[in-house]
Amino acid sequence: MSDGDEAERKMRFVYQLRTRGVTDLRVLDAMEGIDRGLFVRGQFADRAYEDTPLPIPCGQTISQPSVVGLMTQALEVGPRDTVLEVGTGSGYQAAVLSGLCRRVYTVDRHRRLVQEAEAIFRGLGLHNIIAQVADGSRGLPDQAPFDRILVTAAAEDPPGPLLAQLKIGGIMVVPVGQSDAVQTLIRVTRTEVGFDYDELRQVRFVPLVEGLGQT
């Protein structure tokens, strides 16, 4: 791809994000700087820049770019923040977050996904991402509390262990719902006296599963 074609592709990609509600300039810059094509392999590689979720190994998906942008925007990440991402998947969301904060901890129950994402992070020189194989429903208590928590799988309710690992004033963005068909993206803000909940939009994510995967 020529430099001109690359620039045009990026321009179309950012325009697509803007038309779907991603307006935060820091988020747009971060997403423009991370090539989604690096995270989509095999038969779906030619669709990497479409605004659509795509299958990845271990029965998981890479979220559509506009949803990645809207979730990141809702998280209101600051440059000094430490972020926990539950559900590494392809690694794309963590890579976007890495350009916005001080450190990203990302966990996934599938070892293969963590290893493949780590290889991409190394190739891109994203040294502020720490990826681990872990049960994401339990968070990372050893590294808590976190300024921000992003969950990329749907739970029936915001998981209690994750809420407990959020700093006062911290924000968690999580899809909740009891079926694949009806899920709502929720923003949770921890206050001195409890939690405030805001419903953002309807979404569809794979379920948040306890325990470690077989691969």
Side-chain angles (χ1 to χ4, degrees):
M1 182 181 291
S2 70
D3 289 346
D5 289 341
E6 175 75 6
E8 184 177 344
R9 179 187 62 71
K10 284 187 175 182
M11 188 170 65
R12 285 199 306 267
F13 186 72
V14 171
Y15 176 75
Q16 180 175 254
L17 293 171
R18 284 181 174 274
T19 60
R20 287 162 171 78
V22 183
T23 56
D24 185 298
L25 293 180
R26 290 183 68 237
V27 174
L28 289 169
D29 286 347
M31 295 189 70
E32 184 177 2
I34 298 295
D35 183 359
R36 189 175 185 245
L38 297 174
F39 299 86
V40 182
R41 299 190 178 96
Q43 60 180 319
F44 297 102
D46 61 345
R47 301 183 61 190
Y49 306 106
E50 296 178 14
D51 191 36
T52 186
L54 295 169
I56 61 172
C58 304
Q60 305 301 297
T61 59
I62 179 173
S63 297
Q64 65 193 86
S66 62
V67 170
V68 170
L70 290 167
M71 291 180 74
T72 306
Q73 183 170 273
L75 207 59
E76 299 178 10
V77 180
R80 298 178 62 84
D81 286 347
T82 297
V83 181
L84 171 64
E85 180 198 25
V86 175
T88 307
S90 69
Y92 178 62
Q93 174 73 77
V96 170
L97 287 168
S98 74
L100 297 167
C101 65
R102 184 172 65 87
R103 180 162 294 138
V104 180
Y105 290 91
T106 181
V107 299
D108 202 286
R109 62 193 298 269
H110 296 287
R111 185 172 300 278
R112 174 183 174 181
L113 295 181
V114 170
Q115 291 174 338
E116 291 182 357
E118 282 184 311
I120 300 175
F121 300 153
R122 285 194 297 271
L124 292 173
L126 303 179
H127 302 302
N128 64 336
I129 303 177
I130 299 172
Q132 297 184 25
V133 181
D135 179 351
S137 67
R138 299 182 182 277
L140 278 181
D142 290 348
Q143 302 299 333
F146 297 96
D147 300 288
R148 300 289 186 268
I149 298 177
L150 184 66
V151 186
T152 61
E156 289 190 12
D157 296 291
L162 300 184
L163 292 172
Q165 292 172 35
L166 196 60
K167 283 184 181 178
I168 302 295
I171 295 172
M172 177 165 68
V173 173
V174 54
V176 296
Q178 295 185 345
S179 73
D180 291 343
V182 182
Q183 297 170 2
T184 303
L185 193 62
I186 302 290
R187 178 169 55 203
V188 185
T189 304
R190 186 166 192 177
T191 70
E192 294 281 358
V193 295
F195 298 92
D196 291 338
Y197 297 85
D198 296 305
E199 294 188 3
L200 301 178
R201 56 169 284 159
Q202 298 298 302
V203 289
R204 291 189 70 177
F205 277 85
V206 296
L208 181 64
V209 179
E210 294 184 3
L212 299 181
Q214 300 301 310
T215 55

